[in-house]
């Protein structure tokens, strides 16, 4: 299987922020969720992938081509929508659709009309009259209807009301059913990522702190509640919090023999539960370690 | 080096033209009104008409640059455009061509109109040379503003470049008045392109072309486009 994109040793320095030594791959047909707090470097990473920003160091391959040298060919097959990307306020959505259709031969007008209906957008309305949610949906429509091989979505659901968010996620799920399409979407909403992604990458303060399959991610982590006096200091324990005799530990690289090992330490294991992605992310960031 | 994406460049030029055509028509109409005043060949009308003509030309040049470049950056539509299948050079050429066309339309209409008004009214024909020098200055000032808008992201610097380059028309007019060989032509009945006139026109043209080439070179080396 070939890579939809491959970033190797990417560095990008700004006065207040630096993306450091990021190496990340996405296989064709995969959906990757890029999770990070605001300012983690998600947008910069996506901008590097689309050629909007040039990396100071490192190599960028997108759809088998080198960026930014081959950006024209790459951008023919890439759909990019960003939270801070705007359309022309004075023009209608139809005007934008016609502009995109005239540039991308793969524009699917039937699908575009279907999306107009599903997103409840009026094509003859000027963008100035659109709400934030409608603007986001319009941008996504312009991306999806060109049928790109790689979709790069920067915070596609941020700031949307629950209904708009649900509409966008539903359409995104449909788009993701197409196995030939690869998607990288960034979010600080781990619920969206957990719902849609095949693999998950955590970015924090410009560094990639974790990247692996979602299932393995979720399998690897457990929240164990036990009681007793001992507080084990094992490397797989990312966080241990004691409240009296109750000890809550969050474990990365969980193995089936762990409860026995805890019992051997004189602890009584009360529960072993899988963790939600949000909890894993927060624990990883707080632990300052690799997940 | 990759080849230019000509079809998309053309689409982007057409897009800018479509976005600005109403305002351009307004500029041409205002310019035509200024020419009508000039055509009256009365001192008060000449003064008012020439002032209005310069204002219209300055407004046309600033409007095109600020709308297509400065506002695009401020309104965050630049990322949308740059996400299309174009390279930085394609973008530069589309903006250069788009701006030159949208500026050239009122500029040429008003330049030709001014020359026609001078030639077909009692105004001294020597004013043709003088007006060409003024139009040359406005073209050079437009190129300065366009180059700064392409190269510098700061809105403040862009406004400064636009205002200062256009305001320089005042000292330029005064300077021309100090050159006897030029001011004498302006008052006379003959259209004479003497050495100082040709030198100034050549300098304006060389400056304009050099600035645009330098800006293209710098633009292709930028590291961020959003």
């Amino acid at each position: 299987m070939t890579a939809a994109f491959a970033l190797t040793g990417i560095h990008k320095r700004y006065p207040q922020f630096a993306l450091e030594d990021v190496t990340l791959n996405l296989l064709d047909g995969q959906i990757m969720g890029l999770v990070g707090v605001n300012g983690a470097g998600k947008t910069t990473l996506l901008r590097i992938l689309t050629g909007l920003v040039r990396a100071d160091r490192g190599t960028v391959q997108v759809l088998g081509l080198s960026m930014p040298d081959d950006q024209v060919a790459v951008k023919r097959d890439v759909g990019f929508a960003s939270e801070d990307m705007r359309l022309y306020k004075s023009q209608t959505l139809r005007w934008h659709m016609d502009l995109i259709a005239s540039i991308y031969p793969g524009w699917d007008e039937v699908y575009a009309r279907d999306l107009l209906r599903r997103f409840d957008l009026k094509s003859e309305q000027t963008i100035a009259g659109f709400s934030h949610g409608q603007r986001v949906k319009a941008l996504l429509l312009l991306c999806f209807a060109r049928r790109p091989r790689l979709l790069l979505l920067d915070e596609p659901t941020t700031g949307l009301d629950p209904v708009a968010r649900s509409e966008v996620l539903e359409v995104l799920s449909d788009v993701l059913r197409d196995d030939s399409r690869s998607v990288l979407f960034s979010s600080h909403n781990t619920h969206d990522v957990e719902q849609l992604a095949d693999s998950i990458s955590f970015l924090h303060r410009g560094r990639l702190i974790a990247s692996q399959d979602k299932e393995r991610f979720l399998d690897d982590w457990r929240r164990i509640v036990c009681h007793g006096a001992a507080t084990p200091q094992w490397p797989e324990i990312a966080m241990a919090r004691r409240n009296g005799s109750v000890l809550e530990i969050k474990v990365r690289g969980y193995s089936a023999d762990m409860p026995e090992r805890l019992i051997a330490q004189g602890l009584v294991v009360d529960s072993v539960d899988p963790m939600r992605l949000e909890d894993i992310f927060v624990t990883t960031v707080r632990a300052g370690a690799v997940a | 080096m990759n080849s230019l994406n000509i079809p998309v460049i053309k689409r982007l030029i057409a897009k800018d033209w479509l976005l600005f055509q109403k305002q351009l028509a307004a500029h041409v109409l205002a310019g035509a009104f200024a020419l009508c005043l000039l055509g009256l060949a009365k001192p008060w009308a000449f003064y008012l008409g020439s002032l209005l003509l310069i204002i219209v030309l300055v407004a046309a040049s600033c409007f095109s640059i600020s709308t297509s470049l400065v506002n695009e950056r401020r309104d965050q539509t630049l990322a949308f455009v740059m996400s299309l299948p174009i390279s930085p050079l394609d973008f530069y050429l589309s903006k250069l061509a788009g701006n030159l066309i949208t500026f050239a339309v009122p500029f040429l209409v008003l330049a030709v109109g001014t020359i026609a008004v001078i030639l077909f009214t009692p105004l001294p024909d020597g004013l043709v040379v003088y007006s060409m020098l003024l139009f040359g200055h406005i073209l050079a000032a437009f190129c300065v503003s366009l180059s700064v808008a392409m190269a510098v992201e700061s809105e403040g610097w862009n406004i400064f470049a636009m205002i200062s380059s256009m305001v320089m028309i005042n000292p330029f007019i005064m300077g021309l008045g100090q050159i006897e060989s030029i001011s004498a032509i302006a008052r006379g009945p003959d259209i004479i392109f003497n050495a100082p006139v040709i030198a100034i026109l050549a300098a304006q043209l060389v400056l304009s072309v050099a600035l645009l080439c330098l800006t293209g070179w710098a633009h292709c080396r930028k590291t961020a486009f959003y």
Side-chain angles (χ1 to χ4, degrees), chain A residues 60-236:
Chain A
V60 184
Q61 292 269 321
V62 180
L63 300 172
L65 298 168
S66 175
M67 287 290 273
D69 297 345
D70 298 319
Q71 63 178 292
V72 175
V74 167
K75 288 194 276 192
R76 284 194 187 105
D77 283 319
V78 170
F80 175 54
S82 164
E83 185 199 13
D84 58 5
M85 185 188 276
R86 298 283 184 272
L87 301 172
Y88 291 95
K89 285 186 281 190
S90 61
Q91 300 301 314
T92 63
L93 176 56
R94 183 71 254 173
W95 181 87
H96 287 86
M97 290 164 70
D98 291 340
L99 176 70
I100 296 295
S102 70
I103 291 172
Y104 292 89
W107 175 262
D108 187 338
E109 183 61 28
V110 175
Y111 183 44
R113 287 178 189 279
D114 179 48
L115 288 176
L116 273 176
R117 185 185 51 76
R118 292 173 68 175
F119 284 156
D120 194 22
L121 294 171
K122 292 179 178 66
S123 63
E124 299 306 327
Q125 189 177 347
T126 56
I127 301 298
F130 277 16
S131 65
H132 171 71
Q134 287 173 317
R135 277 204 311 270
V136 171
K137 289 191 282 189
L139 256 178
L140 293 176
L141 180 152
L142 295 171
C143 266
F144 294 163
R146 71 178 80 154
R147 301 279 191 195
R149 283 171 59 201
L150 172 63
L151 266 171
L152 300 171
L153 307 174
D154 187 14
E155 306 272 3
T157 53
T158 299
L160 298 182
D161 62 60
V163 175
R165 188 166 151 265
S166 150
E167 286 169 357
V168 166
L169 288 176
E170 194 177 289
V171 171
L172 205 48
S173 302
D174 292 347
V175 169
L176 302 182
R177 282 197 201 111
D178 183 347
D179 288 342
S180 64
R181 190 161 300 140
S182 317
V183 182
L184 172 68
F185 72 101
S186 74
S187 181
H188 53 246
N189 186 328
T190 51
H191 295 294
D192 293 349
V193 174
E194 198 168 347
Q195 192 176 331
L196 298 170
D198 299 322
S199 63
I200 293 161
S201 297
F202 286 169
L203 202 59
H204 188 58
R205 291 183 180 165
R207 288 184 176 275
L208 192 69
I209 56 172
S211 183
Q212 60 180 328
D213 290 346
K214 180 176 73 179
E215 298 309 326
R216 195 189 301 171
F217 232 124
L218 298 175
D219 280 350
D220 269 5
W221 284 80
R222 288 289 184 279
R223 174 178 173 271
I224 303 174
V225 178
C226 41
H227 63 268
T231 305
Q233 301 290 324
W234 302 333
E236 60 265 53

